[in-house]
Amino acid sequence: MTKRKVALVIGAGSVKCAAAIGLARVLARERVDIDLIVGCSAGSIFAALMAMGGTSDEVAAIAARLWTRELTSTRDTRAMLSIVLPKLLGFGEHFGMRSDRRVRAALADAFGDTRIEALPTRLLITATDFRTGEQAVFERGRVVDAIRASIAIPFVFTPAEVDGRLCIDGFLSDPLPVGPAVRDGADVIIAMGFESNYQERIDTPGRFAFQLSSIVTNNLLRSRYAFHSVAHHGEVIAIVPEFRERIGLFDTARIPYIIEEGERATEAMLPHLMRMIDSPATHAGEA
């Protein structure tokens, strides 16, 4: 019997992506090896840290330092003024209301010049081509550059130029990028996805933008997963943690709780998951 190729897909979900740490803990306990990790948006941070081979505690600690409110604390005044004075100051496709200086510094501190193709576990990071709307998949190059592209939240950060492509947040093309794992020949795909919170009140342009983002993300998540379920049947196993408590965008203090919910959701799907992993493998790319 040929060993089945197992892929872990971590979808967009801000700090809720830490639930993937709980999922990884359960898989490690059951001695399930992950052959491929795919990350999107904030999920790309956790995917990269896991692909580097860090322990659960190490991944949680680094992620807590990386994903903080301070990342968006530095306003780009010129960009803000370009909204009302577009001809005078020049308004273009590189618009973003916040400076990405802190983001790049934090990513550089965590990953340095590490390259995707040099990681112990195969890693794919997805973003969205701003000019075409197509999904961009990075399997080579600097981890920092790929993550920066994948987390380029519209309106907040400027799109990122990577390999000649201007990229924005990966959730806009697919918040749960199962497709790259299918194309890479995975036999079993464990897809952890997250629904975005809707805003409790709309009293700032930022909240307005995030409300629109949540509507797009949640509808796209459901439609894309429905497509993959029909097209690929049983080999795609969705794990969607149910958070009884509201989780803020940068609520890193809740990471221990988020990890617990990730473990809980994985345990619920474990019997089905193990049956899929233990069944005979098929040819690469089939299921």
Side-chain angles (χ1 to χ4, degrees):
M1 183 184 298
T2 304
K3 177 183 177 295
R4 306 205 86 187
K5 181 176 180 178
V6 178
L8 169 61
V9 178
I10 308 174
S14 65
V15 72
K16 288 184 287 189
C17 296
I21 298 173
L23 186 158
R25 283 180 178 174
V26 174
L27 295 184
R29 185 197 71 205
E30 298 296 326
R31 300 184 184 278
V32 175
D33 294 326
I34 299 174
D35 303 293
L36 167 69
I37 307 178
V38 184
C40 168
S41 195
S44 68
I45 295 174
F46 291 89
L49 290 171
M50 290 179 181
M52 288 178 70
T55 66
S56 297
D57 290 340
E58 289 170 343
V59 172
I62 296 173
R65 294 198 304 269
L66 266 176
W67 192 256
T68 67
R69 193 173 300 278
E70 283 68 36
L71 295 183
T72 61
S73 64
T74 306
R75 293 183 178 181
D76 188 327
T77 304
R78 182 181 178 86
M80 299 288 284
L81 291 173
S82 72
I83 298 175
V84 294
L85 299 170
K87 292 185 179 179
L88 179 63
L89 295 178
F91 186 94
E93 58 186 8
H94 291 87
F95 173 76
M97 294 187 294
R98 295 290 189 267
S99 168
D100 71 346
R101 178 174 54 82
R102 291 177 183 267
V103 174
R104 289 192 176 276
L107 291 175
D109 183 60
F111 299 104
D113 288 323
T114 301
R115 296 185 65 84
I116 296 172
E117 64 269 26
L119 295 173
T121 301
R122 180 162 168 74
L123 173 68
L124 303 177
I125 292 177
T126 68
T128 304
D129 190 309
F130 182 68
R131 298 183 178 116
T132 68
E134 297 175 346
Q135 184 179 72
V137 181
F138 300 106
E139 58 180 325
R140 301 185 63 82
R142 295 203 315 156
V143 171
V144 168
D145 295 334
I147 293 178
R148 171 61 183 86
S150 192
I151 64 171
I153 306 169
F155 299 108
V156 178
F157 296 130
T158 60
E161 192 90 35
V162 184
D163 296 334
R165 304 180 77 174
L166 191 64
C167 295
I168 53 177
D169 202 304
F171 82 83
L172 283 168
S173 52
D174 193 344
L176 188 59
V178 170
V182 173
R183 293 191 293 273
D184 206 68
D187 295 299
V188 178
I189 301 169
I190 307 167
M192 178 165 271
F194 312 92
E195 290 207 346
S196 297
N197 294 333
Y198 292 112
Q199 298 297 305
E200 295 178 329
R201 63 183 187 282
I202 309 295
D203 53 6
T204 67
R207 289 181 180 275
F208 184 89
F210 277 117
Q211 181 72 357
L212 293 177
S213 171
S214 295
I215 292 171
V216 171
T217 301
N218 291 341
N219 286 326
L220 188 55
L221 174 68
R222 296 169 193 141
S223 63
R224 294 292 293 173
Y225 180 69
F227 165 76
H228 288 302
S229 295
V230 171
H232 305 292
H233 307 290
E235 77 270 20
V236 181
I237 303 170
I239 298 180
V240 182
E242 296 182 6
F243 299 103
R244 298 181 297 276
E245 303 170 16
R246 189 176 182 85
I247 307 295
L249 183 64
F250 296 104
D251 204 353
T252 53
R254 310 299 299 282
I255 284 181
Y257 163 71
I258 295 168
I259 293 173
E260 288 178 5
E261 291 302 321
E263 290 187 59
R264 193 190 316 277
T266 306
E267 292 283 3
M269 296 297 295
L270 191 59
H272 175 56
L273 172 60
M274 295 308 296
R275 283 196 299 272
M276 291 297 301
I277 291 174
D278 291 338
S279 62
T282 58
H283 297 292
E286 299 178 3

